[in-house]
Amino acid sequence: MSATQTALEQLRSAKPSWTRADLSSEVAAQIEASGVGFAAVGGMMEDRWHQALAELQQCIRPLAGSPPVLNEGGVYAGTWIESTGTINTEVLSRFAPRTATETFRIYATHQRADGLIPYKVTADGPAFSQIQIVTPLARSVWNHYQLHRQTLDSGADVQWLRQMYIAMIRYDEWLSTYRNTRGTGCVEAFCTFDTGHDLSPRFWFVPDRCFRDDAALCDPEASTAPFLAPDLTANVACQRRYLALIAAELEEDPHPWEAKAEASVEALFQHCYDETDGTFYDLDAHDAPVKVASDVLLRVLACEIGDADFFTHALERYVMNSAHFLSHYGFTTISLSDPRYDGDHTRNSWAGPVHFLTQLRAPHAFEHHGRLAELHVVNKDLLAALTTADRFPQGIDPWSGAAGFTSTYSPSILWMLDTVERTFGILPMPSGEVAFNGLAPTRLDPSHGNSTSAAGASAAAQAVAYSRAVAGVRYELAADDHEVVVFRNGSEHLNFPRGWRVTVNAAGAPTTVTCSTPRSVTGRLSWDGRAVDLTLAANEYVKLEALDIVGRDSPGFSPPRAN
């Protein structure tokens, strides 16, 4: 029996994932309905994946009288809008959709009378001392709705969408009223915690919290605040684009939101973009740029700002450049070339170390621009580090991959679950398509030797198998170092080489093949008794109709740079 057959047999014969992870009935029922399962031959990854599910459950509990909702985990008791209530829950949506629905809803439920959404909700109730927004809530809400509007018991129906839409309209009005005091159209940061950038030199000499713990007030004695903040402004621009989509879904006019979104983008580039440096900076109260090269750029890109050429420029100059944000174990939060960089990963610091929140937010921008190969380069060694780590931490040492501050932290847990699906698993997409990913973890560094790894620990596997139910269809994927085989309701459905992503429509017919590895891959896609031979370079893709090629394109590939 081959390693691939062994992995598939393990997947089919083992105890269900929700039983093995000892999940509660509430979480287990949702995981069971998703059909998610994972098996690996060799290495630690199978056990680590099930540990991620078990620890994810520890992050799900009621807050302030709510149904069970996602909590941030670690030392953070409650749910935060910058992370738990947006990107974390957007990923959770694929595993526990009912919990995701209630996590989004808690922010609408606790919205203040004047329209301000709480920056967090804990067992003690909502808190309003800062805004702390990063990932656009409307994008997360829309993607969840697209995935689950027809999912039984998910709660993500039109009535829920309208409830969230009304709440987000009111919040947009609040931000326009209280966070545009300089009349520029940008969204202003009054304090450090408005962007969640604890200890970042970006906010030196700026108060941590808003004046008198009121997010509507900027300290009148602050020497440099308010800032015109590029990440907050990009957030609102993207938020408005998705509000336009939601408006159209609710049979309202999307055009006012589209116009507001464009106005936000114009303000962002007019006030916060530095043409010479090719990046975004805050503009302080004296109209001076705050020239700290931080993960603000990554946040702006994740808000779908800029076209393909703009993204390529950002990749080559900053994002995929080890002189700036690309470390061996993910993206740093301050440029490695900035003299204020501090890589201390043993505390909650945004002054340099790799944060799993940054890593969890990043895929959206790479997927949006078709840059799967770069994403694989960034994630590969980080996945090895987290697989062999002794906990799910908030951050990672960029130099060694050693686990950092806190444990049982939902962003790192969800990053692992997401990365498994996105790299060698089955990824359901908001479009209704399903992506089968063919980069089995057979080539991970077997033992990178960081201080939080077990002696001789190995992340690499000989083969893996993954399962998922999508719209009533059970899919299984089995992969080794050479090939990928996909089964549909128990029958072989697709066969293709390592290094490709094959996307199918609701009927299971292949629509796109993309090369997700940095090197060209030549091979054959087999489906329904037919086959097509292809050679694809990194990120190159073909569009298919009945296995006939009807389109071919590529965004190019930007390898790591060191200058």
Side-chain angles (χ1 to χ4, degrees):
M1 185 180 292
S2 69
T4 302
Q5 292 170 326
T6 301
L8 189 62
E9 177 61 26
Q10 285 181 201
L11 177 73
R12 290 173 172 173
S13 63
K15 291 192 298 185
S17 56
W18 54 93
T19 302
R20 181 169 169 181
D22 194 25
L23 301 182
S24 69
S25 58
E26 168 68 18
V27 179
Q30 296 177 79
I31 297 295
E32 181 178 7
S34 75
V36 170
F38 177 63
V41 178
M44 296 179 60
M45 192 161 291
E46 179 178 333
D47 287 342
R48 191 68 162 141
W49 185 87
H50 285 90
Q51 183 185 355
L53 278 185
E55 294 198 25
L56 178 63
Q57 177 179 262
Q58 296 177 41
C59 299
I60 295 174
R61 54 186 179 271
L63 290 172
S66 75
V69 296
L70 183 64
N71 285 238
E72 187 74 355
V75 299
Y76 307 101
T79 174
W80 270 252
I81 190 68
E82 72 154 318
S83 49
T84 338
T86 47
I87 187 60
N88 300 13
T89 298
E90 188 173 339
V91 174
L92 178 71
S93 171
R94 306 201 304 266
F95 300 90
R98 184 165 60 251
T99 301
T101 298
E102 296 302 337
T103 306
F104 288 128
R105 195 197 309 271
I106 201 171
Y107 291 94
T109 299
H110 290 283
Q111 188 170 30
R112 206 163 70 178
D114 65 354
L116 177 61
I117 282 178
Y119 82 90
K120 71 174 181 179
V121 180
T122 69
D124 296 327
F128 299 96
S129 59
Q130 63 244 23
I131 56 174
Q132 206 159 335
I133 54 176
V134 181
T135 299
L137 176 60
R139 188 196 85 196
S140 297
V141 164
W142 176 250
N143 287 340
H144 177 59
Y145 172 75
Q146 290 288 90
L147 273 174
H148 293 295
R149 57 184 168 179
Q150 295 181 333
T151 300
L152 185 66
D153 295 329
S154 72
D157 54 19
V158 172
Q159 290 75 22
W160 171 82
L161 184 67
R162 185 173 295 279
Q163 179 188 14
M164 296 303 302
Y165 179 65
I166 292 170
M168 291 185 288
I169 289 174
R170 294 178 60 218
Y171 192 34
D172 186 88
E173 293 170 351
W174 188 95
L175 289 169
S176 298
T177 301
Y178 294 102
R179 291 306 184 97
N180 186 27
T181 64
R182 294 162 63 180
T184 63
C186 290
V187 181
E188 296 163 359
F190 290 176
C191 67
T192 302
F193 295 163
D194 273 341
T195 66
H197 269 131
D198 305 48
L199 301 183
S200 172
R202 174 189 183 189
F203 285 104
W204 282 357
F205 309 108
V206 174
D208 280 346
R209 293 178 175 81
C210 292
F211 190 53
R212 294 174 178 164
D213 285 338
D214 187 342
L217 300 177
C218 186
D219 188 341
E221 295 183 1
S223 59
T224 57
F227 287 178
L228 305 183
D231 45 350
L232 300 182
T233 305
N235 172 288
V236 167
C238 188
Q239 176 89 353
R240 288 170 166 176
R241 286 173 176 167
Y242 279 87
L243 283 172
L245 294 175
I246 296 172
E249 177 71 13
L250 297 176
E251 300 182 344
E252 296 188 11
D253 185 3
H255 296 102
W257 288 116
E258 292 167 352
K260 287 182 178 181
E262 288 309 307
S264 292
V265 173
E266 290 175 10
L268 170 67
F269 278 92
Q270 179 181 349
H271 297 286
C272 298
Y273 186 65
D274 187 303
E275 289 276 0
T276 301
D277 291 355
T279 192
F280 298 91
Y281 299 119
D282 299 294
L283 201 66
D284 74 11
H286 309 283
D287 288 329
V290 182
K291 289 205 167 185
V292 176
S294 72
D295 70 317
V296 160
L297 175 61
L298 291 161
R299 295 179 176 199
V300 170
L301 294 173
C303 288
E304 304 175 13
I305 300 299
D307 59 14
D309 289 340
F310 186 85
F311 190 70
T312 298
H313 174 79
L315 286 182
E316 294 176 351
R317 188 163 181 182
Y318 290 102
V319 179
M320 295 297 293
N321 194 326
S322 65
H324 288 290
F325 296 109
L326 183 63
S327 82
H328 194 64
Y329 295 101
F331 298 123
T332 61
T333 46
I334 294 290
S335 168
L336 289 153
S337 295
D338 193 303
R340 292 155 293 197
Y341 170 85
D342 176 7
D344 185 358
H345 63 294
T346 64
R347 57 183 177 166
N348 175 24
S349 169
W350 289 79
V354 172
H355 272 256
F356 276 102
L357 256 178
T358 300
Q359 300 304 131
L360 192 64
R361 292 165 179 154
H364 186 83
F366 285 81
E367 294 269 1
H368 184 69
H369 291 284
R371 298 295 191 130
L372 304 184
E374 289 89 345
L375 188 62
H376 173 62
V377 170
V378 173
N379 284 344
K380 182 180 177 183
D381 290 294
L382 184 58
L383 180 60
L386 188 60
T387 298
T388 58
D390 64 354
R391 58 189 178 274
F392 286 100
Q394 178 172 328
I396 284 279
D397 180 4
W399 310 102
S400 71
F405 180 65
T406 203
S407 60
T408 315
Y409 183 60
S410 69
S412 55
I413 293 167
L414 288 161
W415 181 85
M416 182 165 196
L417 296 175
D418 178 75
T419 302
V420 166
E421 285 207 331
R422 202 175 292 278
T423 311
F424 45 89
I426 302 168
L427 180 67
M429 308 176 86
S431 64
E433 294 180 307
V434 183
F436 300 98
N437 296 292
L439 281 168
T442 53
R443 304 182 188 183
L444 298 184
D445 186 346
S447 180
H448 55 89
N450 76 53
S451 60
T452 55
S453 292
S458 175
Q462 298 173 45
V464 293
Y466 197 89
S467 65
R468 192 176 251 293
V470 182
V473 176
R474 178 174 172 80
Y475 285 110
E476 297 164 313
L477 177 151
D480 61 13
D481 199 51
H482 304 288
E483 71 171 347
V484 182
V485 184
V486 175
F487 297 84
R488 189 173 193 265
N489 291 331
S491 299
E492 185 169 330
H493 186 63
L494 302 169
N495 188 294
F496 57 93
R498 174 188 174 85
W500 288 356
R501 168 186 282 186
V502 177
T503 305
V504 304
N505 61 20
T511 58
T512 310
V513 182
T514 307
C515 183
S516 54
T517 186
R519 299 289 184 174
S520 295
V521 175
T522 297
R524 172 172 292 180
L525 169 64
S526 299
W527 167 70
D528 195 28
R530 290 169 284 174
V532 60
D533 294 320
L534 299 167
T535 296
L536 298 173
N539 295 322
E540 187 179 14
Y541 63 90
V542 294
K543 293 289 187 180
L544 302 174
E545 290 182 4
L547 234 53
D548 293 328
I549 298 172
V550 296
R552 182 187 289 260
D553 205 349
S554 172
F557 174 65
S558 300
R561 301 177 63 171
N563 61 305

